Every structure is written in structure tokens, then in C-alpha cells.
Amino acid sequence: MTDRHPLWDQTAERSIVGAVVADDRCIADVAAIVQPEDFRYAPHREIFAYALKLHARGEPVDLVTLGNAVRQAGHTRLLGEIAIDVPGAANVEAYARVVADWSRRRAVVSACQKAIDTAGRTESGELAADLASRLEAASERTIGESLNWHGVITRMVEEVEQAANVDDDGVTGVRTGIPMIDGALGGLCRQRLIVLAARPSIGKTALANQIAVNAARDGVPGGICSLEMGEAELGARAMAYHCRANFTRLLRGRGDALDAMVRGMRQGDPKTWPLHLDTSTYSLAGIEARITSWKRNHDIRFAIVDHIGLIEVEGNVSTYDRVSLVSRRLKKLAKRLDIAIIAVAQLNRALEKERRKPTLADLRDSGNIEQDIDVGVFLHVDPDDLEQQPTRVHIGVLKNRTGRRGWAKPLMFDGACQRFFEPTHYDDEDLR
């Protein structure tokens, strides 16, 4: 920022500090609008941070207590001057909104400046996606929406009424088209982060794509960010499932598979599905921007990210910290956009050596996913069943904030046409 355009309001910042000293009863109202990082002038920022710490400990905030707290930082004289200039707390919330507004303006300028600084060494699409994500973040409120209890109960009643109007199966979210999963989860419910986890080659991508196709065939808009496969392969997998065609033979242009695809497309034109795909964005900021764009332009109700281990973040961070950041931001994105997000993840290699079903602990080497997710769906195939076609796949709902948990009856996976289905009957072996 230049002296000519400093992008802050000194009077507003000083007025907040003075108001807090004059009447500490206003601190909670001010903190609902601004936080210390919103202050442009460092001493103001530090004084306000100290005031919040005193308030959090239940101690009074006045010229004496706050003066003692900021003495080591060298702000006692400044605090005294402000206390003389600002004798009361009148209009402090208006001043807080001014400071918050200038903070957002600086964030916008910072985002644009970073784009300018990296323009010469960043691919144009990634540059635009990163800028869009930063601008979106800059436009958000520092503190989330506050509701009184009347608003809370009103929203709860709306949710209950919506649930009462659905079919008897109790599915209130986007239907996956797989009754066992819909029954356990209630569908893909909004604001939830759902992890779909398995070892490689078990069928987790096929299951995610099947869910997307089923929802799209019902007219539900959604999006897929695929970091592992190209559009041709994903399209072939979707057509193999939709048309009951052999996936491998379809990719190789074999006549029987092509005939099956033609027949299947007559039963519902896939070109009309409200499904959107991105196979070229790898950065976390870009993925956030893409999903936000889909929500704004197409009103998507769910998004699939496959898979989160391949997402790139800025900075030289450990794998643990990288995946922790990804899961945390995807959870926030699901809440902010009011959609369900399915994050595909890989489980620890130790499962194959120990020949056991996975547990939530097998996500621990993948950052804080275990804490961030709302639902954890795990796929497991017994080693003795790996060569069987179709393959029996055990489905475990090992975390579920609003429903039942545990290992359900297995599904069958027909890899040839990328299809999961429930068997017509279960024998005793299936229930192990």
C-alpha cells in the first residue's frame, strides 16, 4: 500500500481500541465483526489482540489491565493517548464494519498483487483459478453468520419438514442410486464432506463415478474434479456403466461394446446430463475456484474430488500437513457452498500386509481427514476374492455423524462394466 492510497481508516481503528477501554461490554459485539488481523496498523492490532485475551480469561479490560498487558510490547503510551481521544463506545460496531471493509479491500489487492508477481512463471489457467479462489476468500466475512435461537429452531424445523416429505426410505440428500448406501447415509446431504477410501484397484473411482451418473440421470447437477484420469477414460467408464458395455472393449472400439453403447444412449442421452468435469486442475485453490464456479453457474448439489492425495498446495509442507489442509478446506467449501463433497482417498499400504479390513485409524497417516469428515465410507476386498468376477466388495460406514455405522452387507463389483450392485441374495459367508 502506498501513502497515497493506504487502504485503512486510522480513526476507525483508534475508535475501536478506545471503545474497548471505555466499556469492555462491547468486546463481544466488536469481535463478531473484526479480528486482530483486520487491523492495518500493527500496534492497534496487538492492543486489540491483548484485549481479546483478557476478555477470554474473564478479566476486566480497562486502561489499567490492558495497559499492563501491552507494556512489554511498548504500547502503553499509545493506549493512553487513544483513551483520551475516544471517551466512549458509541457507534463502535459501525467503526468495526469500516475496519472489516478495509481489511477485505486489502485482501483483494494482495490477491491481485500475488497474481501479478507469479504471472511470469505460472500457467494461465492455474493463475486464473488461484486468483479466483483468493478473491472468493477475500469476499467472505471474517466471522460467520450469527443466529439467535429462533433462527436455529426455524432452520431445524425446515430440515425436519423436508425429511417428512420424502419417501419412506428417509433419503433427504442426493440419491446415490445404491439402496444400501442411501439407507446408511440418507443420500449425499448438503454441507457434508464424505470420504470414499480404499486401497488402489478396489473400485473407489468406479463407485464415485457411478454415484455421479446415477444422480445426473435423475437430473441432479454435479461436478467431478479428476486428478488421475483424463476425460476420455472417465467418459468411457461412465458409458460402460450406463450402457452395460465392456469398459476395455469400449476403449478399444470393439463392435459389440459400441453396439451396447448405441443402445444405451437411446434410453437416455448422456449429452444432456447436468454433469461437469475438470481433469486439468491440480492446485487446491484451483479446485476450490472450479467447484465454486460450478455452484454459481450451474447450481451443483454435489462435487467429487478424485483423489485428494494428488492435490497440490502452496509451500514446502509435509504430506501430513498437505492432506490436513486439503481436508479442512474441502469441509469449509462444502459448508460455504451448501453442497455435498465426496473426497476419494487411498488407505495405508499396511492393510495388504495384514490382510484385514480397514479402520478409521488407517486414515491417520493422511492428515486430519478422520477429524474433518462427516462420513467415512471404506471399501475392502478379501485377498481370496480379488481374482473373482464379479468381485465381492465389503462396504464399511466407519464414521457417520448423523446415522448408523459399521460394516454393511457386501456389494458386488463388475469391473468389466464398472458397476456396483447388490446381490439378489446373501448367504452366510456374505455376512461375515
Side-chain angles (χ1 to χ4, degrees), residues 59-351:
E59 299 179 18
V61 181
D62 54 32
L63 188 58
V64 175
T65 58
L66 188 54
N68 289 332
V70 303
R71 178 171 286 109
Q72 188 172 358
H75 301 323
T76 305
R77 180 176 179 179
L78 173 63
L79 181 62
E81 293 173 352
I82 293 176
I84 294 173
D85 291 342
V86 184
N91 304 320
V92 66
E93 291 183 46
Y95 299 136
R97 284 190 289 271
V98 171
V99 171
D101 181 65
W102 280 116
S103 176
R104 285 192 289 270
R105 296 190 201 192
R106 293 194 300 273
V108 170
V109 172
S110 177
C112 294
Q113 187 61 56
K114 183 173 180 60
I116 293 171
D117 293 342
T118 59
R121 59 181 184 274
T122 305
E123 188 271 328
S124 60
E126 183 177 346
L127 181 69
D130 182 69
L131 176 59
S133 177
R134 291 177 183 277
L135 292 176
E136 184 77 22
S139 68
E140 294 179 19
R141 292 172 57 91
T142 304
I143 299 296
E145 179 184 10
S146 173
L147 295 173
N148 58 28
W149 204 243
H150 178 272
V152 173
I153 297 301
T154 298
R155 291 193 179 183
M156 181 275 295
V157 170
E158 291 174 353
E159 294 282 345
V160 172
E161 289 177 345
Q162 179 184 357
N165 291 328
V166 302
D167 295 337
D168 292 337
D169 58 9
V171 178
T172 59
V174 175
R175 292 180 180 272
T176 68
I178 302 173
M180 184 271 290
I181 294 179
D182 282 335
L185 307 186
L188 307 180
C189 296
R190 62 186 187 178
Q191 298 191 11
R192 291 185 187 168
L193 176 60
I194 303 162
V195 71
L196 179 59
R199 289 296 298 149
S201 303
I202 298 300
K204 56 186 179 297
T205 294
L207 180 57
N209 289 344
Q210 179 172 335
I211 290 171
V213 169
N214 286 342
R217 291 194 301 200
D218 289 340
V220 179
I224 302 174
C225 291
S226 176
L227 291 83
E228 194 169 32
M229 301 179 187
E231 61 271 17
E233 182 177 353
L234 283 172
R237 287 174 180 267
M239 288 303 96
Y241 166 68
H242 175 64
C243 305
R244 301 293 190 270
N246 184 289
F247 166 63
T248 302
R249 294 182 65 78
L250 184 60
L251 273 179
R252 295 176 181 175
R254 298 297 186 259
D256 57 336
L258 294 176
D259 290 342
M261 185 177 70
V262 171
R263 291 193 300 271
M265 292 182 70
R266 291 172 182 164
Q267 300 173 2
D269 187 359
K271 295 178 182 178
T272 65
W273 292 347
L275 198 56
H276 309 276
L277 178 65
D278 184 328
T279 63
S280 59
T281 301
Y282 292 87
S283 69
L284 176 58
I287 289 171
E288 290 174 310
R290 176 63 70 199
I291 294 175
T292 299
S293 173
W294 283 338
K295 175 63 177 180
R296 182 184 299 113
N297 297 321
H298 308 291
D299 196 24
I300 63 169
R301 293 179 59 189
F302 70 94
I304 295 171
V305 180
D306 184 14
H307 64 82
I308 60 176
L310 298 177
I311 296 178
E312 300 170 353
V313 301
E314 291 185 353
N316 184 21
V317 297
S318 67
T319 299
Y320 182 94
D321 290 336
R322 175 174 57 82
V323 180
S324 295
L325 178 63
V326 169
S327 63
R328 189 178 310 117
R329 297 225 328 229
L330 288 180
K331 172 57 183 175
K332 290 181 179 180
L333 187 66
K335 290 186 67 176
R336 177 163 59 84
L337 299 183
D338 199 31
I339 64 174
I341 294 181
I342 298 178
V344 179
Q346 290 194 4
L347 292 173
N348 295 339
R349 186 177 289 110
L351 289 171

